[in-house]
Amino acid sequence: VNLRALTSWVGIARLAAVVLSCLAFSLVASAGSFRGPYGTWCMFTWCFCFVVTLLVLLLELLELYPKLPLSWDDFTSAFSMLAALMIFTSSVVFPAIFISSPCNSSKCARQAVATTASCLCFLAYAVEVGLTRAKPGDISSFLSTVPGLLKVFEAYVACLIFSLLDHYNTPGQMWCVAVYSICFIFTLLIIIFTIGRCLSSLPCQLDQMLVGYNFLALLMYITATVIWPLYSFKDQGKRPNNCSRPCPWDNKLGVTFLTIFNLIAYLVDLIYSSRMVFI
């Protein structure tokens, strides 16, 4: 038994995440307020992060993770980054959808406490990401470096974009969807190959491949950043007053901002990847 898995700073952060995520979904379940796609997403996020983090703690406590056919450091780094992003999204979406003002009922109080627990859970995962991130000059797993963490961020933002896509009939919008899909698939393959220890089978070195891929992805996202709002808002620049909820106009605006976020992420990724190769 490796007690350091629970007593180290990383272990304490994981224990806090387990307790807080359990508190969040337990309070929401007792209030019975998680119906609809947004509530289902929030409950799935808290339950998923609780189960996987608890499994990580047990595997490290019993020292069983070396028997797994994967890169453990890459897996834990990628999961902590993904969990931080998922919990952050749920911490914003849940109160915006389910908590109404004024909050003066016991049900609303439980929802508010669950939201607070979710925010603290995000901080716990953010602390874990900060503790496990590779420092400059360290020889560490790829997904614990800044480019590796950015890969997880890029894939997650692409998933959010897919969840907001509803109508894309014009050729420009179809090109943007193709950009999101192609970049997501290649980014996901890089993450899977890294965790599965399959990078040695690639015909070229990872750092050189990342520079070329990030450059192409950046160019593609530049075109999507220009084309998506051009084709989505050319007939209707302002939000309709009688737009139903969820409003398609809001979804298009969300895709626009998420595209910009991923553009910035690929730009930073290209800078860091270039430094790894040339500097």
Side-chain angles (χ1 to χ4, degrees):
V1 177
N2 180 20
L3 293 179
R4 183 169 174 76
L6 303 179
T7 57
S8 64
W9 287 113
V10 175
I12 293 172
R14 289 171 178 166
L15 281 174
V18 167
V19 173
L20 292 168
S21 58
C22 180
L23 179 62
F25 73 72
S26 299
L27 288 172
V28 173
S30 65
S33 56
F34 56 93
R35 293 175 176 83
Y38 295 107
T40 303
W41 161 256
C42 294
M43 282 294 289
F44 168 77
T45 296
W46 294 321
C47 294
F48 171 75
C49 294
F50 167 77
V51 171
V52 177
T53 306
L54 184 61
L55 183 62
V56 168
L57 283 173
L58 290 176
L59 290 174
E60 291 203 346
L61 180 65
L62 302 176
E63 294 188 332
L64 297 176
Y65 64 90
K67 302 180 183 297
L68 299 176
L70 51 83
S71 175
W72 182 252
D73 291 337
D74 284 310
F75 171 75
T76 54
S77 297
F79 170 72
S80 60
M81 183 64 177
L82 176 63
L85 295 171
M86 293 175 67
I87 294 290
F88 175 78
T89 306
S90 298
S91 301
V92 174
V93 170
F94 183 79
I97 299 297
F98 293 99
I99 298 182
S100 58
S101 182
C103 184
N104 51 13
S105 63
S106 60
K107 177 181 178 180
C108 184
R110 280 178 285 181
Q111 292 173 334
V113 175
T115 302
T116 304
S118 182
C119 294
L120 294 175
C121 187
F122 161 71
L123 292 178
Y125 281 115
V127 169
E128 182 183 350
V129 171
L131 291 173
T132 57
R133 183 178 68 85
K135 306 300 184 294
D138 287 352
I139 299 176
S140 185
S141 54
F142 169 68
L143 291 181
S144 63
T145 63
V146 174
L149 296 175
L150 284 172
K151 284 287 172 284
V152 181
F153 177 83
E154 293 156 2
Y156 181 74
V157 172
C159 290
L160 293 181
I161 291 175
F162 294 143
S163 68
L164 295 178
L165 292 174
D166 45 12
H167 299 94
Y168 43 92
N169 302 321
T170 63
Q173 291 176 320
M174 291 180 181
W175 162 253
C176 294
V177 174
V179 169
Y180 305 142
S181 303
I182 293 171
C183 294
F184 170 74
I185 290 172
F186 277 95
T187 301
L188 186 62
L189 286 176
I190 291 173
I191 296 173
I192 293 174
F193 280 11
T194 303
I195 295 176
R197 298 175 178 173
C198 300
L199 294 178
S200 58
S201 61
L202 296 177
C204 58
Q205 294 184 357
L206 176 64
D207 50 2
Q208 297 176 353
M209 182 193 70
L210 285 177
V211 173
Y213 165 67
N214 290 330
F215 179 72
L216 292 176
L218 179 64
L219 293 180
M220 295 173 69
Y221 260 90
I222 289 175
T223 62
T225 304
V226 176
I227 293 175
W228 177 263
L230 182 65
Y231 279 85
S232 298
F233 302 111
K234 65 178 181 179
D235 297 327
Q236 197 171 41
K238 294 183 178 180
R239 188 181 190 274
N241 295 326
N242 57 350
C243 191
S244 60
R245 191 174 182 181
C247 181
W249 192 92
D250 293 341
N251 290 346
K252 294 177 181 177
L253 184 64
V255 171
T256 301
F257 280 104
L258 290 173
T259 302
I260 296 173
F261 292 159
N262 245 2
L263 173 66
I264 297 173
Y266 277 108
L267 176 60
V268 177
D269 199 353
L270 176 62
I271 294 173
Y272 271 91
S273 300
S274 301
R275 291 181 59 187
M276 290 171 61
V277 175
F278 300 110
I279 300 179

